[in-house]
Amino acid sequence: MDTGKTFLLIGGSHGIGLALTQQLTARGHQVIVLSRTPGGVQAMPNVTHHTFDVLKDDFPAEVLPAALHGLVYLPGSINLRGFSSIKPEQFRDELEINCIGAIRCIQASLKTLKQHAGSSIVLFSTVAAGLGMPFHSSIAAAKGAVEGLTRALAAELAPGIRVNCIAPSLTDTPLAEKLLNTEEKREASAQRHPLKRVGSAEEIAALAAFLLSDDAAWITGQILHADGGMSAIKS
Ligand SMILES: NC(=O)c1ccc[n+]([C@@H]2O[C@H](COP(=O)([O-])OP(=O)(O)OC[C@H]3O[C@@H](n4cnc5c(N)ncnc54)[C@H](OP(=O)(O)O)[C@@H]3O)[C@@H](O)[C@H]2O)c1
């Protein structure tokens, strides 16, 4: 089992990122978390948190170690709106947090990621990028860009750095709170999935931990669908 590695998690303090921080530290890894608030990682052993807003702040290059084994970019959005009511600036905002933020963090960390052969980048898309869903145009456009970035970067950075992307469906995190805050909403969301429930942060984090590990050493350029069967099965 690989252990003793150092990972950078942008958005490792809440939701899927927090679950991933917990799983990585439990395996003996060091985690550097960048986010606006420390959330669940405050005083967690083997974690250093640095306050960083990807939409406002310069990337804090001084917090990077000499070498990084992996980077995960988690900030994202869920804004479901009718296409006609979305202003171009709102499309731009979604692109900014989901894709341009990731680009800035990867560019700033590339030199340190290159210090380890086989380091790994994990990005996040959504089921709605690959499956057309009403009221999802702004997030689908932004995450479609993330999926294109994943494949192009995987090609450009091979063989030294692997780049993959996870496309979840609805997952029980602070981001999805508004969609899951009543029993009725939770049940309706569960019924839309072939596996009849929404995802958990721990399940999605486990897939990210796998992609960061040496067990995934022959996987790059992939969009992995962790979505209760939503993207592939008609139930
Ligand atoms: N949950 C779902 O249903 C779902 C479904 C499909 C795709 N996804 C994707 O999965 C990824 C993770 O989602 P999640 O549900 O775990 O989200 P989350 O609960 O909102 O957590 C996001 C993390 O990013 C940080 N963050 C947010 N804005 C930031 C900013 N401007 N600068 C720096 N850090 C920022 C947050 O910490 P702070 O707030 O302290 O900054 C938090 O640690 C996202 O890309 C999302 O689009 C989620």
Side-chain angles (χ1 to χ4, degrees), residues 49-69:
H49 176 265
H50 304 275
T51 304
F52 170 63
D53 185 335
V54 73
L55 298 177
K56 294 186 182 146
D57 301 329
D58 288 336
F59 185 88
E62 66 282 0
V63 309
L64 293 180
L68 265 182
H69 295 85

Side-chain angles (χ1 to χ4, degrees), residues 78-113:
I78 302 182
N79 291 310
L80 308 186
R81 297 168 289 209
F83 175 72
S84 314
S85 68
I86 311 174
K87 297 190 173 76
E89 303 81 72
Q90 292 172 312
F91 276 96
R92 216 171 279 133
D93 289 347
E94 299 243 20
L95 193 67
E96 195 69 40
I97 186 77
N98 286 283
C99 187
I100 310 292
I103 291 168
R104 290 178 54 219
C105 294
I106 295 167
Q107 285 184 333
S109 309
L110 213 43
K111 218 164 112 188
T112 49
L113 285 163

